[in-house]
Amino acid sequence: MKLLSLTVALLATFTTAHPVFDDLVTPSTPLDYKRAPAASLRQVSNFGSNPSNAKMYIYVPDNLAASPPIIVAIHYCTGTAQAYYTNSPYARLADQKGFIVIYPESPYSGTCWDVSSHATLTHNGGGNSNSIAKMVDYTLKTYNGDATKVFVTGSSSGAMMTNVMAATYPALFAAGIVYSGVPAGCFYSQAGGTNAWNSSCANGQVRSTPQVWAKVVRDMYPGYEGERPKMEIYHGSADTALNANNYNETIKQWAGVFGFDYQKPDMTQNNVPQSGYTTYTWGEGKLVGVYARGVGHSVPIRGSDDMKFFGL
């Protein structure tokens, strides 16, 4: 992991100015998550190797597809699998579309995710990312899941973990949607801390080039040359928990990975998907950034739009 350590250490050395892609908006009306299906959230205790002791919860709808897609929905700090199940739209959408939802639960006090340790930032390294990947493997095998339609999303700490999952297990996911997170590796702890907080990153002070950010991603899975998931990044301009500069840095990271010029999106759409939001698109949708003027932490989940991005 020396390469990752050295690469992350370089991040603080790059502080060149760069444009904020607009300034961001007001959340849309929340979806009505109330439902009364026969199916319910349940815990899976024996899903395989679980080196970090993360918990697995799963929602399998009654109208399960023959070869169901899978969405991994990752909660925020202080959250739980039950809370994200209740307060996000994915289980209701699963009832309609027949996919499975995995709700991982953090094993730590405060229930933030470990996005700081050597283990979690390494493919098969034994951290939270490894445990979540095992949950996906279990679900694919148990329910004859469609391995070409596995997706990951999350809010806040779960958004951070979404970026980490896309970096450490790129072959596992077709797409990721990030609601108010930070770049993969931005919370890296040089002291070796597990589930460590990184104020410099949270405050938007960690800045670098697309090339350095891309190297951080590649160092998490050395030698990987395959396809990488398409990514959609949401962030609010008024975010005081994870500074809005983390939007720029996350866009730079994935633009660097895909080989796009982050300063030259192929398409810019004002007031899309709603008033005050600006949507930027690179590479025919391989990378999408949605910057929400006036929105704090975190950007509300847009379930129907998520389904479109996932192709469900």
Side-chain angles (χ1 to χ4, degrees):
M1 199 58 172
K2 290 183 178 179
L3 284 175
L4 178 59
S5 302
L6 290 172
T7 302
V8 177
L10 288 173
L11 292 174
T13 68
F14 292 88
T15 56
T16 54
H18 54 276
V20 172
F21 288 128
D22 213 344
D23 269 32
L24 239 197
V25 77
T26 307
S28 59
T29 303
L31 292 171
D32 180 6
Y33 304 138
K34 295 179 181 179
R35 60 192 180 281
S40 61
L41 185 69
R42 62 182 181 83
Q43 186 172 4
V44 177
S45 299
N46 299 311
F47 57 85
S49 175
N50 183 20
S52 73
N53 295 317
K55 296 177 182 178
M56 176 183 179
Y57 291 80
I58 194 168
Y59 182 77
V60 181
D62 293 329
N63 64 332
L64 185 65
S67 183
I70 298 167
I71 293 178
V72 181
I74 310 177
H75 67 71
Y76 42 84
C77 287
T78 75
T80 61
Q82 178 68 53
Y84 214 49
Y85 163 78
T86 301
N87 297 312
S88 69
Y90 301 114
R92 181 182 62 81
L93 291 164
D95 292 336
Q96 298 173 11
K97 297 177 178 293
F99 60 79
I100 293 171
V101 190
I102 299 170
Y103 295 92
E105 186 169 292
S106 167
Y108 309 111
S109 174
T111 66
C112 293
W113 290 97
D114 174 22
V115 292
S116 64
S117 72
H118 170 111
T120 203
L121 299 176
T122 305
H123 179 79
N124 290 342
N128 281 171
S129 62
N130 200 167
S131 293
I132 293 173
K134 292 295 184 183
M135 298 176 195
V136 174
D137 290 342
Y138 166 88
T139 305
L140 285 169
K141 294 174 184 175
T142 303
Y143 295 96
N144 188 35
D146 187 342
T148 69
K149 295 182 179 179
V150 180
F151 310 100
V152 60
T153 187
S155 301
S156 190
S157 182
M160 300 185 203
M161 181 54 76
T162 296
N163 278 324
V164 169
M165 294 307 301
T168 52
Y169 293 90
L172 197 57
F173 299 103
I177 299 178
V178 175
Y179 282 99
S180 306
V182 304
C186 191
F187 260 48
Y188 177 70
S189 171
Q190 294 192 41
T194 297
N195 186 33
W197 186 257
N198 186 316
S199 294
S200 295
C201 179
N203 294 335
Q205 297 166 335
V206 178
R207 305 181 181 193
S208 194
T209 66
Q211 294 75 23
V212 170
W213 277 124
K215 189 175 186 302
V216 170
V217 169
R218 295 189 183 103
D219 286 348
M220 294 183 191
Y221 191 176
Y224 179 76
E225 301 290 345
E227 289 293 315
R228 294 186 182 271
K230 66 178 184 177
M231 299 297 295
E232 186 167 34
I233 313 301
Y234 285 85
H235 216 104
S237 68
D239 194 326
T240 58
L242 298 173
N243 184 276
N245 184 62
N246 283 298
Y247 168 83
N248 286 324
E249 299 306 303
T250 306
I251 290 293
K252 286 197 289 183
Q253 181 169 67
W254 292 111
V257 168
F258 296 134
F260 304 143
D261 184 341
Y262 82 99
Q263 294 179 304
K264 296 179 180 179
D266 299 325
M267 183 186 304
T268 299
Q269 297 169 284
N270 295 316
N271 298 314
V272 173
Q274 69 177 66
S275 177
Y277 284 50
T278 304
T279 297
Y280 305 88
T281 304
W282 293 259
E284 298 182 348
K286 186 70 173 178
L287 175 62
V288 178
V290 184
Y291 194 61
R293 184 178 295 107
V295 175
H297 191 78
S298 60
V299 175
I301 296 169
R302 302 184 63 86
S304 295
D305 290 342
D306 289 1
M307 296 300 100
K308 293 175 184 177
F309 189 72
F310 289 156
L312 297 176

